[in-house]
Amino acid sequence: MEVVCFRHMMPSYCWKLMRWLNIGPEKKLNVEHTLLRRFIKEMMERRNIKTWQVNNDEEEEGVDIVSFFLDDPCYANDDLFCAITIGYMLVARDTVGIALTWIFYNLAQNPNIVSIIRNELSPVPSHKVVAGVGTMVIFEPDETRSLSYLRAALMEGIWGKDCLDYNPDRWLLKDGNGLRYVPPHKFLAFNSGPRMCLGKEIAVMQMMIVVASTLWNFDVHLEKGQSIEPKASCILEMKNGLMVKLKKREV
Ligand code: HEM
């Protein structure tokens, strides 16, 4: 991601020359690409062995995105498959992970907002069968989909304008009942128009489940003395990461 950012800032002849000479950030990218491709090839081989075993044992296999591509003859070309998989790893994994880091950073500093989210969540666990003391409650996509305040708190965590003011209320209707409509061109974290993020709803669903399950089961405390700042990169990861302590809640 740093190299992608670097390419945006450089004239294209400059990074293309560096790529040709295999120097600087382009050399780093080349090394990492080779590692990723090796990892993907191993994953494909493992998946083929697993499919062979499953076919022989006649057991049912789970559905995964890799299998969708591998079973499609249009993606029989290994290079195309590797490029698609690397693309998915960057757009679908790092983005969500990094957005969650900033969201938890904000939530850990705003216990009042955490309380409102827990109140909104509280009807859900009472409908679930909790097996034994100390068991964790894991929220499902259908259970969090309609929770407006939780969604507002997530959107606020990836909001650019006056980002130092963490204020989920700005996403809610005046009467507090439901979310305001904010057109994509006013909230550009997922871009707008023909290049808009195709995975926005998947990303929001994943983040809702992770934030709901974490906040319901744990108190999140920031470690003291950290320097929190974004890295110069396309997806603004935290330069030094985020250290938190999780304490199991007695619910
Ligand atoms: C918080 C999480 C995410 C954020 C902030 C985000 C943001 C974005 C942005 C800004 C773009 C446009 C990039 C451009 O203009 O070239 C984009 C594109 C894309 N995103 Fe996401 N994304 C997220 C998660 C995901 C997930 C989970 C998936 C897949 C499951 C995904 C799939 C895609 C795809 C396929 C594109 C390319 C769309 C195209 O150009 O046709 N994203 N995303």
Short mmCIF file of all heavy atoms in Angstrom, two decimals, residues 15-68:
data_model
loop_
_atom_site.label_atom_id
_atom_site.label_comp_id
_atom_site.label_asym_id
_atom_site.label_seq_id
_atom_site.Cartn_x
_atom_site.Cartn_y
_atom_site.Cartn_z
N TRP A 15 8.54 5.99 -11.48
CA TRP A 15 8.41 4.68 -10.83
C TRP A 15 8.58 3.53 -11.82
O TRP A 15 9.04 2.45 -11.46
CB TRP A 15 7.14 4.56 -9.99
CG TRP A 15 5.80 4.57 -10.69
CD1 TRP A 15 4.93 5.62 -10.77
CD2 TRP A 15 5.14 3.48 -11.37
NE1 TRP A 15 3.79 5.26 -11.46
CE2 TRP A 15 3.90 3.95 -11.84
CE3 TRP A 15 5.49 2.15 -11.63
CZ2 TRP A 15 3.00 3.15 -12.55
CZ3 TRP A 15 4.60 1.36 -12.34
CH2 TRP A 15 3.37 1.86 -12.79
N LYS A 16 8.26 3.80 -13.12
CA LYS A 16 8.44 2.73 -14.11
C LYS A 16 9.94 2.44 -14.32
O LYS A 16 10.34 1.30 -14.48
CB LYS A 16 7.77 3.12 -15.44
CG LYS A 16 6.26 2.90 -15.35
CD LYS A 16 5.56 3.20 -16.63
CE LYS A 16 4.05 3.00 -16.44
NZ LYS A 16 3.26 3.50 -17.53
N LEU A 17 10.74 3.53 -14.29
CA LEU A 17 12.19 3.35 -14.41
C LEU A 17 12.72 2.58 -13.19
O LEU A 17 13.54 1.66 -13.32
CB LEU A 17 12.86 4.73 -14.52
CG LEU A 17 14.37 4.71 -14.71
CD1 LEU A 17 14.75 4.06 -16.04
CD2 LEU A 17 14.94 6.14 -14.66
N MET A 18 12.23 2.96 -12.00
CA MET A 18 12.66 2.25 -10.78
C MET A 18 12.27 0.78 -10.85
O MET A 18 13.01 -0.09 -10.41
CB MET A 18 12.03 2.90 -9.54
CG MET A 18 12.62 4.24 -9.22
SD MET A 18 11.74 4.97 -7.84
CE MET A 18 13.03 5.11 -6.69
N ARG A 19 11.08 0.51 -11.42
CA ARG A 19 10.64 -0.89 -11.54
C ARG A 19 11.57 -1.64 -12.50
O ARG A 19 11.97 -2.77 -12.23
CB ARG A 19 9.19 -0.91 -12.06
CG ARG A 19 8.61 -2.33 -12.10
CD ARG A 19 7.17 -2.33 -12.50
NE ARG A 19 6.98 -1.84 -13.86
CZ ARG A 19 5.79 -1.73 -14.45
NH1 ARG A 19 4.70 -2.04 -13.81
NH2 ARG A 19 5.69 -1.28 -15.68
N TRP A 20 11.94 -0.97 -13.60
CA TRP A 20 12.80 -1.61 -14.59
C TRP A 20 14.18 -1.90 -14.00
O TRP A 20 14.76 -2.96 -14.20
CB TRP A 20 12.89 -0.69 -15.82
CG TRP A 20 13.60 -1.31 -16.97
CD1 TRP A 20 13.19 -2.38 -17.71
CD2 TRP A 20 14.86 -0.90 -17.50
NE1 TRP A 20 14.10 -2.66 -18.69
CE2 TRP A 20 15.14 -1.76 -18.59
CE3 TRP A 20 15.76 0.12 -17.20
CZ2 TRP A 20 16.29 -1.65 -19.35
CZ3 TRP A 20 16.91 0.24 -17.97
CH2 TRP A 20 17.17 -0.64 -19.02
N LEU A 21 14.69 -0.92 -13.20
CA LEU A 21 16.02 -1.09 -12.58
C LEU A 21 15.97 -1.96 -11.32
O LEU A 21 16.99 -2.31 -10.74
CB LEU A 21 16.61 0.28 -12.23
CG LEU A 21 16.92 1.20 -13.41
CD1 LEU A 21 17.27 2.60 -12.91
CD2 LEU A 21 18.07 0.64 -14.24
N ASN A 22 14.73 -2.22 -10.87
CA ASN A 22 14.51 -2.97 -9.62
C ASN A 22 15.23 -2.32 -8.44
O ASN A 22 16.05 -2.93 -7.76
CB ASN A 22 14.94 -4.44 -9.80
CG ASN A 22 14.33 -5.33 -8.73
OD1 ASN A 22 13.29 -5.00 -8.15
ND2 ASN A 22 14.98 -6.44 -8.44
N ILE A 23 14.89 -1.06 -8.20
CA ILE A 23 15.49 -0.33 -7.06
C ILE A 23 14.40 0.35 -6.24
O ILE A 23 13.26 0.50 -6.70
CB ILE A 23 16.51 0.75 -7.54
CG1 ILE A 23 15.85 1.69 -8.55
CG2 ILE A 23 17.77 0.13 -8.10
CD1 ILE A 23 16.70 2.91 -8.90
N GLY A 24 14.79 0.79 -5.02
CA GLY A 24 13.90 1.58 -4.16
C GLY A 24 12.62 0.84 -3.81
O GLY A 24 12.61 -0.39 -3.66
N PRO A 25 11.50 1.59 -3.68
CA PRO A 25 10.23 0.95 -3.28
C PRO A 25 9.78 -0.12 -4.27
O PRO A 25 9.11 -1.08 -3.88
CB PRO A 25 9.23 2.11 -3.27
CG PRO A 25 9.98 3.35 -3.50
CD PRO A 25 11.37 3.03 -3.90
N GLU A 26 10.15 0.03 -5.55
CA GLU A 26 9.74 -0.96 -6.54
C GLU A 26 10.41 -2.30 -6.29
O GLU A 26 9.83 -3.35 -6.55
CB GLU A 26 10.06 -0.45 -7.96
CG GLU A 26 9.22 0.74 -8.39
CD GLU A 26 7.72 0.43 -8.49
OE1 GLU A 26 7.38 -0.71 -8.85
OE2 GLU A 26 6.92 1.32 -8.18
N LYS A 27 11.65 -2.26 -5.76
CA LYS A 27 12.35 -3.50 -5.44
C LYS A 27 11.60 -4.21 -4.28
O LYS A 27 11.36 -5.41 -4.32
CB LYS A 27 13.79 -3.19 -5.03
CG LYS A 27 14.60 -4.41 -4.74
CD LYS A 27 16.01 -4.08 -4.38
CE LYS A 27 16.75 -5.36 -4.01
NZ LYS A 27 18.08 -5.09 -3.57
N LYS A 28 11.20 -3.38 -3.30
CA LYS A 28 10.47 -3.91 -2.14
C LYS A 28 9.16 -4.58 -2.61
O LYS A 28 8.81 -5.67 -2.19
CB LYS A 28 10.16 -2.74 -1.19
CG LYS A 28 9.83 -3.14 0.20
CD LYS A 28 9.69 -1.91 1.08
CE LYS A 28 8.82 -2.21 2.26
NZ LYS A 28 8.25 -1.04 2.87
N LEU A 29 8.47 -3.87 -3.52
CA LEU A 29 7.20 -4.40 -4.03
C LEU A 29 7.42 -5.74 -4.75
O LEU A 29 6.65 -6.68 -4.57
CB LEU A 29 6.57 -3.38 -4.99
CG LEU A 29 5.20 -3.77 -5.56
CD1 LEU A 29 4.15 -3.82 -4.45
CD2 LEU A 29 4.75 -2.78 -6.62
N ASN A 30 8.50 -5.79 -5.52
CA ASN A 30 8.81 -7.01 -6.27
C ASN A 30 9.03 -8.19 -5.32
O ASN A 30 8.50 -9.29 -5.52
CB ASN A 30 10.06 -6.74 -7.12
CG ASN A 30 10.29 -7.82 -8.13
OD1 ASN A 30 9.41 -8.65 -8.36
ND2 ASN A 30 11.46 -7.83 -8.74
N VAL A 31 9.81 -7.92 -4.24
CA VAL A 31 10.09 -8.99 -3.26
C VAL A 31 8.78 -9.46 -2.63
O VAL A 31 8.49 -10.66 -2.52
CB VAL A 31 11.04 -8.46 -2.16
CG1 VAL A 31 11.18 -9.45 -1.02
CG2 VAL A 31 12.40 -8.12 -2.75
N GLU A 32 7.93 -8.48 -2.24
CA GLU A 32 6.68 -8.85 -1.55
C GLU A 32 5.71 -9.56 -2.49
O GLU A 32 5.01 -10.47 -2.09
CB GLU A 32 6.07 -7.61 -0.90
CG GLU A 32 6.82 -7.31 0.38
CD GLU A 32 6.56 -5.96 0.99
OE1 GLU A 32 5.62 -5.29 0.53
OE2 GLU A 32 7.30 -5.58 1.91
N HIS A 33 5.70 -9.15 -3.76
CA HIS A 33 4.87 -9.81 -4.76
C HIS A 33 5.26 -11.27 -4.89
O HIS A 33 4.41 -12.16 -4.96
CB HIS A 33 5.07 -9.11 -6.10
CG HIS A 33 3.79 -8.56 -6.64
ND1 HIS A 33 3.58 -8.31 -7.95
CD2 HIS A 33 2.63 -8.24 -6.02
CE1 HIS A 33 2.36 -7.85 -8.12
NE2 HIS A 33 1.77 -7.78 -6.98
N THR A 34 6.59 -11.52 -4.92
CA THR A 34 7.07 -12.90 -5.06
C THR A 34 6.61 -13.74 -3.87
O THR A 34 6.13 -14.87 -4.04
CB THR A 34 8.62 -12.90 -5.15
OG1 THR A 34 9.00 -11.93 -6.12
CG2 THR A 34 9.17 -14.25 -5.53
N LEU A 35 6.71 -13.15 -2.68
CA LEU A 35 6.27 -13.88 -1.47
C LEU A 35 4.77 -14.19 -1.54
O LEU A 35 4.35 -15.32 -1.26
CB LEU A 35 6.52 -13.02 -0.23
CG LEU A 35 7.91 -13.06 0.36
CD1 LEU A 35 8.02 -12.07 1.50
CD2 LEU A 35 8.20 -14.48 0.88
N LEU A 36 3.99 -13.17 -1.93
CA LEU A 36 2.53 -13.36 -1.99
C LEU A 36 2.16 -14.43 -3.02
O LEU A 36 1.29 -15.26 -2.77
CB LEU A 36 1.85 -12.04 -2.39
CG LEU A 36 1.56 -11.06 -1.25
CD1 LEU A 36 1.04 -9.75 -1.80
CD2 LEU A 36 0.55 -11.66 -0.28
N ARG A 37 2.85 -14.38 -4.16
CA ARG A 37 2.54 -15.36 -5.21
C ARG A 37 2.86 -16.78 -4.74
O ARG A 37 2.12 -17.71 -4.99
CB ARG A 37 3.31 -15.04 -6.50
CG ARG A 37 2.81 -13.77 -7.19
CD ARG A 37 3.71 -13.44 -8.36
NE ARG A 37 3.54 -14.41 -9.41
CZ ARG A 37 2.61 -14.34 -10.34
NH1 ARG A 37 1.78 -13.32 -10.35
NH2 ARG A 37 2.50 -15.26 -11.27
N ARG A 38 3.99 -16.90 -3.99
CA ARG A 38 4.36 -18.23 -3.47
C ARG A 38 3.27 -18.72 -2.49
O ARG A 38 2.84 -19.85 -2.53
CB ARG A 38 5.72 -18.14 -2.77
CG ARG A 38 6.31 -19.54 -2.55
CD ARG A 38 7.62 -19.49 -1.83
NE ARG A 38 8.59 -18.60 -2.45
CZ ARG A 38 9.53 -17.93 -1.79
NH1 ARG A 38 9.62 -18.01 -0.48
NH2 ARG A 38 10.37 -17.15 -2.41
N PHE A 39 2.82 -17.79 -1.65
CA PHE A 39 1.80 -18.13 -0.66
C PHE A 39 0.50 -18.59 -1.37
O PHE A 39 -0.11 -19.59 -1.00
CB PHE A 39 1.52 -16.90 0.21
CG PHE A 39 0.30 -17.01 1.08
CD1 PHE A 39 0.29 -17.86 2.18
CD2 PHE A 39 -0.85 -16.29 0.79
CE1 PHE A 39 -0.84 -17.98 2.98
CE2 PHE A 39 -1.98 -16.39 1.57
CZ PHE A 39 -1.98 -17.24 2.67
N ILE A 40 0.13 -17.86 -2.45
CA ILE A 40 -1.11 -18.20 -3.17
C ILE A 40 -0.99 -19.56 -3.86
O ILE A 40 -1.90 -20.38 -3.83
CB ILE A 40 -1.48 -17.08 -4.17
CG1 ILE A 40 -1.88 -15.83 -3.38
CG2 ILE A 40 -2.61 -17.50 -5.10
CD1 ILE A 40 -1.94 -14.58 -4.22
N LYS A 41 0.21 -19.82 -4.43
CA LYS A 41 0.42 -21.12 -5.10
C LYS A 41 0.27 -22.25 -4.08
O LYS A 41 -0.37 -23.27 -4.34
CB LYS A 41 1.82 -21.17 -5.72
CG LYS A 41 1.98 -20.30 -6.94
CD LYS A 41 1.89 -21.12 -8.23
CE LYS A 41 1.61 -20.27 -9.45
NZ LYS A 41 2.67 -19.33 -9.78
N GLU A 42 0.86 -22.05 -2.87
CA GLU A 42 0.77 -23.09 -1.83
C GLU A 42 -0.70 -23.30 -1.43
O GLU A 42 -1.14 -24.42 -1.24
CB GLU A 42 1.55 -22.66 -0.58
CG GLU A 42 3.04 -22.89 -0.70
CD GLU A 42 3.81 -22.27 0.47
OE1 GLU A 42 3.18 -21.98 1.52
OE2 GLU A 42 5.02 -22.06 0.30
N MET A 43 -1.42 -22.17 -1.35
CA MET A 43 -2.83 -22.24 -0.96
C MET A 43 -3.62 -23.04 -2.01
O MET A 43 -4.47 -23.86 -1.67
CB MET A 43 -3.37 -20.81 -0.89
CG MET A 43 -4.56 -20.63 -0.02
SD MET A 43 -4.86 -18.87 0.18
CE MET A 43 -5.34 -18.37 -1.45
N MET A 44 -3.30 -22.81 -3.30
CA MET A 44 -4.00 -23.53 -4.37
C MET A 44 -3.68 -25.02 -4.31
O MET A 44 -4.57 -25.85 -4.46
CB MET A 44 -3.57 -22.98 -5.74
CG MET A 44 -4.17 -21.64 -6.06
SD MET A 44 -3.28 -20.82 -7.39
CE MET A 44 -3.74 -21.81 -8.79
N GLU A 45 -2.39 -25.33 -4.04
CA GLU A 45 -2.01 -26.75 -3.97
C GLU A 45 -2.72 -27.44 -2.82
O GLU A 45 -3.28 -28.52 -2.95
CB GLU A 45 -0.50 -26.89 -3.80
CG GLU A 45 0.21 -26.80 -5.14
CD GLU A 45 1.69 -26.49 -4.97
OE1 GLU A 45 2.25 -26.75 -3.89
OE2 GLU A 45 2.28 -25.96 -5.94
N ARG A 46 -2.75 -26.73 -1.66
CA ARG A 46 -3.41 -27.31 -0.48
C ARG A 46 -4.89 -27.53 -0.76
O ARG A 46 -5.48 -28.52 -0.40
CB ARG A 46 -3.24 -26.38 0.72
CG ARG A 46 -2.33 -27.01 1.75
CD ARG A 46 -2.29 -26.20 3.00
NE ARG A 46 -1.32 -25.12 2.90
CZ ARG A 46 -1.37 -24.01 3.61
NH1 ARG A 46 -2.35 -23.81 4.46
NH2 ARG A 46 -0.45 -23.10 3.50
N ARG A 47 -5.47 -26.55 -1.44
CA ARG A 47 -6.91 -26.63 -1.76
C ARG A 47 -7.17 -27.80 -2.71
O ARG A 47 -8.12 -28.55 -2.55
CB ARG A 47 -7.36 -25.29 -2.36
CG ARG A 47 -8.86 -25.18 -2.57
CD ARG A 47 -9.19 -25.58 -3.98
NE ARG A 47 -10.60 -25.45 -4.26
CZ ARG A 47 -11.16 -25.93 -5.35
NH1 ARG A 47 -10.43 -26.56 -6.25
NH2 ARG A 47 -12.44 -25.78 -5.55
N ASN A 48 -6.25 -28.02 -3.68
CA ASN A 48 -6.43 -29.14 -4.60
C ASN A 48 -6.33 -30.48 -3.88
O ASN A 48 -7.10 -31.40 -4.13
CB ASN A 48 -5.40 -29.08 -5.73
CG ASN A 48 -5.75 -27.97 -6.70
OD1 ASN A 48 -6.91 -27.57 -6.77
ND2 ASN A 48 -4.78 -27.47 -7.44
N ILE A 49 -5.37 -30.56 -2.92
CA ILE A 49 -5.24 -31.81 -2.15
C ILE A 49 -6.52 -32.05 -1.34
O ILE A 49 -7.07 -33.14 -1.32
CB ILE A 49 -4.02 -31.72 -1.20
CG1 ILE A 49 -2.74 -31.66 -2.02
CG2 ILE A 49 -3.98 -32.92 -0.25
CD1 ILE A 49 -1.50 -31.31 -1.22
N LYS A 50 -7.02 -30.93 -0.73
CA LYS A 50 -8.22 -31.05 0.11
C LYS A 50 -9.41 -31.52 -0.74
O LYS A 50 -10.15 -32.42 -0.36
CB LYS A 50 -8.53 -29.68 0.74
CG LYS A 50 -9.39 -29.76 1.96
CD LYS A 50 -9.50 -28.39 2.61
CE LYS A 50 -10.90 -28.15 3.08
NZ LYS A 50 -11.26 -26.75 3.15
N THR A 51 -9.55 -30.92 -1.95
CA THR A 51 -10.67 -31.29 -2.82
C THR A 51 -10.58 -32.77 -3.20
O THR A 51 -11.55 -33.49 -3.20
CB THR A 51 -10.63 -30.45 -4.13
OG1 THR A 51 -10.50 -29.10 -3.75
CG2 THR A 51 -11.89 -30.62 -4.94
N TRP A 52 -9.31 -33.22 -3.46
CA TRP A 52 -9.12 -34.62 -3.84
C TRP A 52 -9.55 -35.53 -2.68
O TRP A 52 -10.27 -36.48 -2.87
CB TRP A 52 -7.65 -34.84 -4.19
CG TRP A 52 -7.36 -36.21 -4.69
CD1 TRP A 52 -7.48 -36.66 -5.97
CD2 TRP A 52 -6.92 -37.33 -3.90
NE1 TRP A 52 -7.15 -37.98 -6.03
CE2 TRP A 52 -6.79 -38.43 -4.78
CE3 TRP A 52 -6.62 -37.52 -2.55
CZ2 TRP A 52 -6.39 -39.68 -4.35
CZ3 TRP A 52 -6.21 -38.77 -2.11
CH2 TRP A 52 -6.09 -39.83 -3.01
N GLN A 53 -9.13 -35.12 -1.44
CA GLN A 53 -9.49 -35.95 -0.27
C GLN A 53 -11.01 -35.95 -0.06
O GLN A 53 -11.61 -36.98 0.19
CB GLN A 53 -8.82 -35.38 0.99
CG GLN A 53 -7.36 -35.75 1.06
CD GLN A 53 -6.65 -35.00 2.18
OE1 GLN A 53 -7.17 -34.00 2.69
NE2 GLN A 53 -5.47 -35.45 2.52
N VAL A 54 -11.62 -34.74 -0.20
CA VAL A 54 -13.06 -34.64 0.02
C VAL A 54 -13.80 -35.50 -1.00
O VAL A 54 -14.70 -36.25 -0.67
CB VAL A 54 -13.53 -33.16 -0.06
CG1 VAL A 54 -15.04 -33.08 -0.14
CG2 VAL A 54 -13.03 -32.39 1.14
N ASN A 55 -13.34 -35.42 -2.30
CA ASN A 55 -14.01 -36.21 -3.33
C ASN A 55 -13.91 -37.70 -3.04
O ASN A 55 -14.83 -38.46 -3.28
CB ASN A 55 -13.40 -35.92 -4.72
CG ASN A 55 -13.83 -34.55 -5.20
OD1 ASN A 55 -14.81 -34.00 -4.69
ND2 ASN A 55 -13.10 -33.99 -6.15
N ASN A 56 -12.74 -38.11 -2.47
CA ASN A 56 -12.58 -39.52 -2.19
C ASN A 56 -13.36 -39.97 -0.96
O ASN A 56 -13.88 -41.07 -0.91
CB ASN A 56 -11.09 -39.85 -2.01
CG ASN A 56 -10.44 -39.97 -3.38
OD1 ASN A 56 -10.62 -40.96 -4.06
ND2 ASN A 56 -9.76 -38.92 -3.80
N ASP A 57 -13.42 -39.06 0.02
CA ASP A 57 -14.15 -39.42 1.25
C ASP A 57 -15.65 -39.12 1.13
O ASP A 57 -16.43 -39.44 2.02
CB ASP A 57 -13.61 -38.63 2.46
CG ASP A 57 -12.17 -39.01 2.73
OD1 ASP A 57 -11.70 -39.98 2.12
OD2 ASP A 57 -11.53 -38.30 3.54
N GLU A 58 -16.02 -38.44 0.02
CA GLU A 58 -17.40 -38.03 -0.23
C GLU A 58 -18.00 -37.24 0.91
O GLU A 58 -19.14 -37.41 1.29
CB GLU A 58 -18.27 -39.25 -0.56
CG GLU A 58 -17.89 -39.86 -1.90
CD GLU A 58 -18.82 -40.96 -2.34
OE1 GLU A 58 -19.78 -41.23 -1.61
OE2 GLU A 58 -18.59 -41.51 -3.40
N GLU A 59 -17.16 -36.37 1.52
CA GLU A 59 -17.70 -35.48 2.55
C GLU A 59 -18.02 -34.15 1.91
O GLU A 59 -17.47 -33.80 0.88
CB GLU A 59 -16.63 -35.23 3.63
CG GLU A 59 -16.60 -36.31 4.67
CD GLU A 59 -15.45 -36.09 5.63
OE1 GLU A 59 -15.04 -34.93 5.79
OE2 GLU A 59 -14.98 -37.08 6.19
N GLU A 60 -18.90 -33.38 2.55
CA GLU A 60 -19.27 -32.09 1.99
C GLU A 60 -18.20 -31.05 2.26
O GLU A 60 -17.59 -31.03 3.32
CB GLU A 60 -20.59 -31.64 2.63
CG GLU A 60 -21.50 -30.99 1.61
CD GLU A 60 -22.83 -30.67 2.22
OE1 GLU A 60 -22.93 -29.58 2.81
OE2 GLU A 60 -23.75 -31.50 2.12
N GLU A 61 -17.95 -30.17 1.27
CA GLU A 61 -16.91 -29.15 1.44
C GLU A 61 -17.56 -27.78 1.67
O GLU A 61 -18.61 -27.50 1.09
CB GLU A 61 -16.08 -29.10 0.17
CG GLU A 61 -14.78 -28.38 0.35
CD GLU A 61 -14.09 -28.18 -0.98
OE1 GLU A 61 -14.67 -28.53 -2.00
OE2 GLU A 61 -12.98 -27.65 -0.98
N GLY A 62 -16.93 -26.92 2.52
CA GLY A 62 -17.46 -25.57 2.73
C GLY A 62 -17.25 -24.71 1.49
O GLY A 62 -16.46 -25.04 0.62
N VAL A 63 -17.99 -23.59 1.41
CA VAL A 63 -17.86 -22.70 0.26
C VAL A 63 -16.83 -21.63 0.58
O VAL A 63 -16.84 -21.07 1.67
CB VAL A 63 -19.22 -22.02 -0.03
CG1 VAL A 63 -19.09 -21.07 -1.20
CG2 VAL A 63 -20.28 -23.07 -0.30
N ASP A 64 -15.90 -21.37 -0.33
CA ASP A 64 -14.96 -20.28 -0.13
C ASP A 64 -14.69 -19.59 -1.46
O ASP A 64 -14.89 -20.16 -2.53
CB ASP A 64 -13.66 -20.79 0.51
CG ASP A 64 -12.97 -21.77 -0.39
OD1 ASP A 64 -12.21 -21.34 -1.25
OD2 ASP A 64 -13.23 -22.99 -0.25
N ILE A 65 -14.20 -18.35 -1.37
CA ILE A 65 -14.06 -17.52 -2.56
C ILE A 65 -13.01 -18.10 -3.53
O ILE A 65 -13.16 -18.04 -4.74
CB ILE A 65 -13.75 -16.07 -2.14
CG1 ILE A 65 -14.01 -15.14 -3.31
CG2 ILE A 65 -12.37 -15.89 -1.62
CD1 ILE A 65 -14.22 -13.71 -2.90
N VAL A 66 -11.95 -18.72 -2.96
CA VAL A 66 -10.90 -19.30 -3.80
C VAL A 66 -11.49 -20.39 -4.69
O VAL A 66 -11.22 -20.46 -5.88
CB VAL A 66 -9.77 -19.87 -2.90
CG1 VAL A 66 -8.73 -20.58 -3.74
CG2 VAL A 66 -9.14 -18.77 -2.09
N SER A 67 -12.36 -21.22 -4.11
CA SER A 67 -12.95 -22.32 -4.88
C SER A 67 -13.81 -21.78 -6.03
O SER A 67 -13.82 -22.34 -7.12
CB SER A 67 -13.81 -23.20 -3.99
OG SER A 67 -13.05 -23.63 -2.91
N PHE A 68 -14.52 -20.67 -5.79
CA PHE A 68 -15.34 -20.08 -6.86
C PHE A 68 -14.48 -19.78 -8.08
O PHE A 68 -14.83 -20.09 -9.21
CB PHE A 68 -16.00 -18.78 -6.40
CG PHE A 68 -17.28 -19.01 -5.66
CD1 PHE A 68 -17.46 -18.49 -4.39
CD2 PHE A 68 -18.32 -19.73 -6.24
CE1 PHE A 68 -18.64 -18.69 -3.70
CE2 PHE A 68 -19.51 -19.94 -5.56
CZ PHE A 68 -19.67 -19.43 -4.28
#
